[in-house]
């Protein structure tokens, strides 16, 4: 298909019939010096997609859109680059919401996009051989039928009775993400001054939720997600006080 809107937003698109992992392929392309800012690799048939913690992500051919975007981030200091996947989540949430009016769309910290509490998109950011180039991958459930959804907590445009305009979705996503990263770089990585903190906080549906966070050391922290700190960490109010979480799987605790 033509990607007129996405290309007008600055994306340099390569679409392939199928891929193992668009992220892995674009990271390799970047390693050879063949990918620049807003280079996009996408497919509707990804066969070995990867999520956080090396989880495998699969979908029937044609049921989803796998998109990986190369981002030049040399203007963003290393300590501030943790905001990149958070901003990607906020950008994708905005793009999804534009096509699902009336639905509750937002980003679950740190890397999922939810619609009415169910996952429609996952996001994974990876470094490349070029320290100034980051690849951000996303897998969006577009045409996946209810029977094809992998888990009860997933959803898709089709399952919600909507047809996704893929070109519009990609254009909105790329535009929002590029603008946010430009602002973060101009502010020398200051997420508060750049507006990144406010953008992500508004999009983050985890805030205000009772959560259980599986931490890297194997422990589980339980409490109320209160805020994001200036570094993008999730501040959870536990029985022992405030805990700033930089990494971990988050579960929104639902009443039984």
């Amino acid at each position: 298909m033509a990607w007129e809107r996405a290309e007008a937003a600055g994306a340099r698109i390569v679409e392939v019939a199928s891929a193992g992992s668009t992220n892995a392929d674009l990271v390799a392309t970047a390693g050879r010096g063949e990918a620049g800012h807003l280079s996009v690799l996408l497919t509707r048939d990804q066969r070995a997609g990867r999520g956080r913690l090396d989880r495998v992500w699969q979908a029937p051919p044609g049921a989803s859109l796998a998109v990986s975007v190369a981002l030049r981030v040399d203007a963003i200091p290393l300590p501030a680059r943790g905001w990149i996947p958070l901003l990607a989540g906020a950008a994708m949430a905005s793009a999804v919401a534009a096509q699902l009016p009336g639905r509750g769309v937002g980003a679950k910290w740190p890397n999922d996009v939810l619609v009415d509490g169910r996952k429609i998109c996952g996001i994974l950011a990876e470094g490349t051989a070029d320290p100034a180039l980051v690849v951000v991958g996303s897998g969006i459930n577009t045409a996946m039928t209810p029977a094809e959804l992998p888990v009860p907590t997933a959803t898709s445009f089709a399952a919600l009775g909507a047809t996704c305009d893929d070109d519009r979705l990609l254009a909105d996503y790329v535009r929002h993400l590029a603008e946010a990263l430009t602002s973060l770089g101009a502010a020398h990585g200051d997420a508060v001054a750049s507006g990144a903190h406010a953008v992500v906080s508004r999009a983050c549906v985890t805030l205000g939720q009772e959560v259980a966070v599986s931490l890297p050391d194997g422990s589980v922290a339980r409490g109320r997600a209160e805020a994001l700190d200036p570094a993008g960490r999730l501040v959870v109010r536990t029985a022992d006080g405030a805990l700033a979480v930089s990494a971990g799987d988050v579960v929104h605790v639902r009443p039984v």
Side-chain angles (χ1 to χ4, degrees), residues 9-253:
R12 297 156 52 194
I13 296 172
V14 173
E15 180 176 4
V16 294
S18 65
S21 162
T22 56
N23 252 34
D25 290 350
L26 190 54
V27 166
T29 298
R32 298 192 297 269
E34 299 171 2
H37 185 56
L38 299 186
S39 292
V40 174
L41 179 64
L42 61 84
T43 187
R44 290 184 178 83
D45 183 9
Q46 180 168 248
R47 302 177 180 181
R50 295 172 295 122
R52 291 180 65 249
L53 306 178
D54 291 325
R55 291 169 178 149
V56 177
W57 183 84
Q58 293 177 313
S64 64
L65 184 66
V67 177
S68 293
V69 184
L71 302 165
R72 182 151 291 282
V73 296
D74 45 325
I76 301 174
L78 280 172
R81 292 185 187 176
W83 283 98
I84 295 170
L86 300 179
L87 287 167
M92 184 61 77
S94 180
V96 169
Q99 297 193 46
L100 292 174
R103 297 283 184 176
V105 182
K108 173 175 172 278
W109 191 94
N111 68 329
D112 292 338
V113 177
L114 308 184
V115 179
D116 297 337
R118 297 178 185 275
K119 181 176 176 178
I120 198 169
C121 174
I123 290 170
L124 177 68
E126 298 186 85
T128 72
D130 181 345
L133 204 65
V134 171
V135 169
V136 177
S138 55
I140 311 102
N141 298 335
T142 52
M144 194 174 290
T145 66
E148 291 171 334
L149 294 172
V151 292
T153 53
T155 192
S156 70
F157 280 90
L160 295 167
T163 299
C164 180
D165 182 333
D166 294 351
D167 186 22
R168 178 187 176 192
L169 182 81
L170 183 56
D172 288 346
Y173 170 59
V174 167
R175 184 176 63 257
H176 291 313
L177 180 55
E179 289 173 353
L181 293 178
T182 296
S183 295
L184 184 61
H188 308 292
D190 187 328
V192 175
S194 71
H197 185 277
V199 166
V200 174
S201 295
R202 283 195 301 269
C204 186
V205 294
T206 300
L207 300 183
Q209 295 265 4
E210 295 295 322
V211 297
V213 186
S214 297
L215 301 172
D217 65 2
S219 64
V220 177
R222 294 180 171 83
R224 186 175 182 83
E226 289 190 333
L228 300 177
D229 74 4
R233 296 178 298 182
L234 183 67
V235 179
V236 179
R237 178 67 58 180
T238 71
D240 297 322
L243 174 68
V245 178
S246 58
D249 279 355
V250 175
V251 174
H252 294 178
V253 178

